[in-house]
Amino acid sequence: MAKAIEVGGEFQAKDYHDPPPAPLVDAQELAKWSFYRAVIAEFIATLFFLYITVLTVIGYKTQTDLAKGGEDCGGVGILGIAWAFGGMIFILVYCTAGISGGHINPAVTFGLFLARKVSLVRAIFYMGAQCLGAICGCGLVKAFQNSYYNQYGGGANSLAEGYSTGTGLAAEIIGTFVLVYTVFSATDPKRNARDSHIPVLAPLPIGFAVFMVHLATIPITGTGINPARSLGAAVIFNQDKIWDDHWIFWVGPFIGAAIAAIYHQFVLRASGAKALGSFRSSSAM
């Protein structure tokens, strides 16, 4: 791929080539160590993501519990919690992007699968690793903070009082759309070629997207936008209210991811016809 060059004081965009669509089913991946290394990276990254973020949530609730000597304005606050989630995504995407792509979220994996960026086999393995990593991460939190974990909600997502199911679902759909749309934009080879004279660290806007969505939706749903994050906390906390609302944190993110994938591929990139044709050719084989 040609680099951007400066001609007459202006930068000329370098050439770019879209990578070929991932096959719908690629059984050959199962014979490669790089595939399993990527799956392990997704597991470990999601484990650390849940461990740090849920610990932050519980620590904040401990410091603001008046019955335990806390203060109303104690702890990191909602701003600090949002920074914990966004900051960890920035760090973990930066660390794992070259190994697995740094998904750390089944909704991101689902969106990239719809856009033919990953195969069905890889998507399934990634989602399984992410969910297992989230459960293990929350399990570690409970092991180290057993006296506080259940008392302060275990970092689990649920619909806040005063909000309807529709409002919670819409919050998850829109929030996940913002995240997955940012992922597509930050990793778009066409944008990288066109703006090659403006270096962009892809994990940075992705982390900021997570941060901003948390600021907006923590009061509504506690902010899911990541089914693995919601599942891990729900499994370890294991309360009826959490399970009653749990479907919102799968349906909402998957719908938001699908809309983001369609918007980016069909509207912004106009490459939906190519992906559709590739799906048909793969199915015909």
Side-chain angles (χ1 to χ4, degrees):
M1 184 177 293
K3 298 293 185 180
I5 57 175
E6 186 175 3
V7 178
E10 297 182 356
F11 284 93
Q12 292 184 339
K14 62 182 179 181
D15 295 332
Y16 80 96
H17 300 282
D18 279 323
L24 180 59
V25 178
D26 186 5
Q28 294 181 351
E29 287 185 310
L30 298 175
K32 299 178 180 178
W33 164 241
S34 60
F35 172 77
Y36 295 101
R37 182 178 60 190
V39 172
I40 293 171
E42 288 292 311
F43 169 79
I44 295 297
T46 314
L47 184 154
F48 281 125
F49 176 59
L50 268 293
Y51 175 71
I52 295 298
T53 55
V54 172
L55 266 182
T56 302
V57 172
I58 293 176
Y60 163 68
K61 291 186 176 182
T62 302
Q63 293 168 324
T64 55
D65 186 352
L66 300 179
K68 300 289 186 178
E71 302 176 358
D72 285 330
C73 297
V76 297
I78 290 180
L79 182 64
I81 292 173
W83 271 121
F85 279 88
M88 281 304 295
I89 287 296
F90 169 72
I91 293 168
L92 295 171
V93 170
Y94 180 83
C95 292
T96 60
I99 302 171
S100 66
H103 297 192
I104 321 173
N105 184 336
V108 171
T109 300
F110 180 66
L112 293 174
F113 165 71
L114 292 181
R116 301 306 305 277
K117 305 296 185 183
V118 296
S119 69
L120 178 61
V121 172
R122 185 174 291 264
I124 292 173
F125 272 78
Y126 273 20
M127 291 181 189
Q130 292 156 0
C131 290
L132 184 59
I135 293 171
C136 292
C138 289
L140 284 177
V141 175
K142 185 172 183 179
F144 295 141
Q145 297 278 348
N146 188 49
S147 59
Y148 296 124
Y149 188 85
N150 288 329
Q151 181 180 355
Y152 295 113
N157 291 122
S158 64
L159 189 63
E161 293 184 9
Y163 292 98
S164 67
T165 300
T167 300
L169 183 61
E172 289 297 307
I173 291 173
I174 296 171
T176 310
F177 173 87
V178 171
L179 170 59
V180 178
Y181 173 47
T182 303
V183 170
F184 276 112
S185 298
T187 59
D188 187 346
K190 182 176 182 179
R191 189 205 62 79
N192 290 336
R194 183 191 64 220
D195 300 331
S196 57
H197 59 288
I198 305 175
V200 175
L201 186 63
L204 185 60
I206 296 172
F208 262 103
V210 172
F211 166 68
M212 296 303 299
V213 171
H214 274 76
L215 284 182
T217 61
I218 282 176
I220 303 173
T221 61
T223 308
I225 67 171
N226 184 335
R229 174 260 185 274
S230 301
L231 177 66
V235 168
I236 301 301
F237 187 54
N238 196 27
Q239 298 293 325
D240 290 342
K241 165 64 174 170
I242 303 303
W243 287 118
D244 289 343
D245 295 339
H246 188 65
W247 67 272
I248 295 174
F249 302 100
W250 283 89
V251 175
F254 272 55
I255 292 176
I259 295 173
I262 293 170
Y263 174 62
H264 184 269
Q265 294 297 101
F266 281 78
V267 178
L268 300 186
R269 293 297 308 276
S271 59
K274 297 179 183 178
L276 182 60
S278 180
F279 263 120
R280 289 173 175 170
S281 61
S282 296
S283 301
M285 293 179 64

